[in-house]
Amino acid sequence: METRQIVKIGLGAAFLWYGILRGARALMVGVRDFSFRGVNVSEGTVSLNLNLLIKNPLLVGLKLKGVTGDVYAQGQKVGYINTTIDYYLSGGHTHVVPVVVNLNVAGLGQAAILNIQSGDIRTLTITFAGKIYVGSHNIGVPVDITLNYEDLVQ
């Protein structure tokens, strides 16, 4: 094989890899629903099952490796997500991926008091700020999801 062909193949592979890396950032993440999982009284935590809705707009699939981040209510940190996953996000499809959310009861109480003091409980906001990790190199894709009162009571 001639040197020019090797360089062209190498450049083509590099552009393909760059496209996948850039495309991974195009993943769309939202919340489908959540449900109560349990309470740990000794640790003062509540666990929820959160179903993330992840759309992969790429033509190629990506391997989802994990989800990490913090959960905030009324701007106060009240919990976290730290889940390792082995899930294939096929290209051009939307997937529902379950993760566990651990919430601190004391932090939730404080956030509830702040919400009540605002004078309008409809100002309640819950935010997840974190990353989903995809691919064999664990590419971190930033995720920022905010749910308001209407989203939570539907």
Side-chain angles (χ1 to χ4, degrees):
M1 190 177 280
E2 182 176 314
T3 304
R4 283 187 192 166
Q5 288 177 323
I6 293 173
V7 170
K8 284 181 183 178
I9 292 171
L11 284 174
F15 282 122
L16 177 62
W17 179 245
Y18 177 75
I20 291 171
L21 287 176
R22 292 271 302 153
R25 303 218 184 275
L27 292 173
M28 291 175 259
V29 182
V31 174
R32 179 172 183 195
D33 58 21
F34 57 92
S35 61
F36 179 72
R37 181 180 168 102
V39 175
N40 186 327
V41 176
S42 64
E43 292 184 16
T45 60
V46 174
S47 295
L48 301 175
N49 290 321
L50 178 67
N51 289 317
L52 293 178
L53 201 58
I54 302 176
K55 181 177 181 181
N56 180 1
L58 299 174
L59 297 176
V60 297
L62 294 169
K63 189 72 134 176
L64 178 62
K65 298 292 194 161
V67 179
T68 63
D70 294 323
V71 178
Y72 299 87
Q74 297 304 101
Q76 289 209 179
K77 183 178 173 186
V78 296
Y80 64 92
I81 298 173
N82 187 9
T83 303
T84 301
I85 301 172
D86 185 21
Y87 188 90
Y88 183 72
L89 300 169
S90 56
H93 289 88
T94 301
H95 305 268
V96 176
V97 180
V99 296
V100 175
V101 180
N102 298 294
L103 302 171
N104 178 291
V105 174
L108 285 173
Q110 227 173 3
I113 290 170
L114 287 173
N115 183 244
I116 292 167
Q117 288 175 339
S118 76
D120 185 359
I121 64 167
R122 292 173 294 186
T123 62
L124 176 66
T125 58
I126 306 287
T127 302
F128 169 67
K131 291 184 177 184
I132 61 172
Y133 295 91
V134 295
S136 58
H137 295 289
N138 281 334
I139 301 165
V141 179
V143 175
D144 191 7
I145 301 170
T146 298
L147 302 173
N148 59 31
Y149 177 80
E150 287 79 24
D151 297 326
L152 297 169
V153 296
Q154 285 182 4

